Amino acid sequence: DVVLTQTPVSLSVTLGDQASISCRSSQSLEYSDGYTYLEWYLQKPGQSPQLLIYEVSNRFSGVPDRFIGSGSGTDFTLKISRVEPEDLGVYYCFQATHDPNTFGAGTKLELK
Amino acid sequence: QVQLQQSGAELAKPGTSVKLSCKASGYTFTSYYIYWVKQRPGQGLEWIGYIYPGNGGTYYSEKFKGKATFTADTSSSTAYMLLGSLTPEDSAYYFCARRGYSAYYWYFDFWGPGTMVTVSS
């Protein structure tokens, strides 16, 4: 199975700071069709996960432009510029290139 | 609007089974995959597998083969997951999620609120 390694495990920030989360895959996530099925989800406390980014860098409808996804192959990053209170929670990367699909272990974004 | 309604919390004894439901509304049920995801309290997300209600096709993570069984009732737009031979390690929240798409892109665009399963004697 593909292992997604997220770092850091937790991230303490001050509101308005930039945050950066890494997701490293044990195999390339580029599919034979040329697309890379790497997504980012945020799970706020007590809620279901919500989609932020799909196909590495595409923001889902309604997601603020302070969320920026990047990367290729095996290395991916989610950057949040100017963290706001509603951004707090656990971030997961997810790959759907290989079966079984897998989630990263999560990165908890919290206030300093 | 798209909604996924999940069944209520379950308390079950070890060795028994529970059947969780995920009722879809606001879209054509047979045109989208439904995925199931496990989350133990305070832990991360774990991918179980999926069903395509259009033809009943399923795929299971190796870890959940023999543990989970997916079915779908197209007349009621409801997906089900049967969890069998329950042990305390099955105690968790279980989410259903729609695998949406746009052109060549796929993603989980809608999630159910989750069903808590507690396995205890």
Side-chain angles (χ1 to χ4, degrees):
Chain A
D1 297 0
V2 171
V3 176
L4 297 180
T5 302
Q6 281 186 241
T7 54
V9 172
S10 65
L11 194 49
S12 294
V13 298
T14 300
L15 295 178
D17 278 356
Q18 175 175 279
S20 182
I21 301 169
S22 169
C23 177
R24 183 161 291 175
S25 175
S26 60
Q27 298 178 37
S28 173
L29 298 185
E30 184 175 345
Y31 193 56
S32 52
D33 62 6
Y35 290 92
T36 300
Y37 296 100
L38 187 282
E39 297 143 39
W40 290 94
Y41 294 85
L42 165 61
Q43 187 175 31
K44 298 180 183 180
Q47 295 186 20
S48 306
Q50 59 187 79
L51 173 65
L52 297 173
I53 301 285
Y54 60 92
E55 218 269 330
V56 180
S57 59
N58 295 277
R59 273 185 299 274
F60 188 54
S61 174
V63 175
D65 60 8
R66 64 177 181 275
F67 290 90
I68 300 170
S70 63
S72 63
T74 60
D75 288 317
F76 303 91
T77 302
L78 176 69
K79 282 188 167 57
I80 312 161
S81 60
R82 307 180 310 277
V83 170
E84 298 194 6
E86 60 265 31
D87 301 338
L88 304 180
V90 181
Y91 289 79
Y92 295 94
C93 55
F94 171 79
Q95 68 81 21
T97 298
H98 302 280
D99 280 336
N101 301 169
T102 47
F103 288 93
T107 295
K108 186 174 185 178
L109 184 66
E110 53 194 359
L111 284 181
K112 224 176 249 182
Chain B
Q1 68 284 22
V2 174
Q3 285 191 334
L4 297 175
Q5 284 178 269
Q6 294 191 242
S7 45
E10 299 269 6
L11 174 60
K13 293 193 185 313
T16 65
S17 301
V18 292
K19 190 171 186 179
L20 311 184
S21 67
C22 173
K23 182 172 174 59
S25 60
Y27 72 96
T28 303
F29 180 62
T30 51
S31 297
Y32 293 80
Y33 289 82
I34 291 288
Y35 283 59
W36 291 89
V37 174
K38 177 182 180 180
Q39 185 172 40
R40 300 201 72 187
Q43 304 298 309
L45 303 170
E46 192 172 11
W47 189 85
I48 300 173
Y50 58 76
I51 184 167
Y52 186 64
N55 60 12
T58 56
Y59 185 96
Y60 300 91
S61 168
E62 199 65 36
K63 179 178 177 181
F64 290 93
K65 284 183 182 173
K67 169 63 64 180
T69 305
F70 307 139
T71 56
D73 177 356
T74 56
S75 67
S76 64
S77 297
T78 304
Y80 297 94
M81 177 171 66
L82 177 69
L83 292 171
S85 304
L86 291 170
T87 72
E89 286 65 46
D90 297 317
S91 296
Y93 278 96
Y94 292 87
F95 295 98
C96 62
R98 188 182 86 157
R99 193 72 177 160
Y101 54 85
S102 171
Y104 299 103
Y105 306 127
W106 297 76
Y107 36 71
F108 296 127
D109 54 357
F110 290 94
W111 293 70
T115 296
M116 180 67 201
V117 174
T118 303
V119 181
S120 174
S121 54

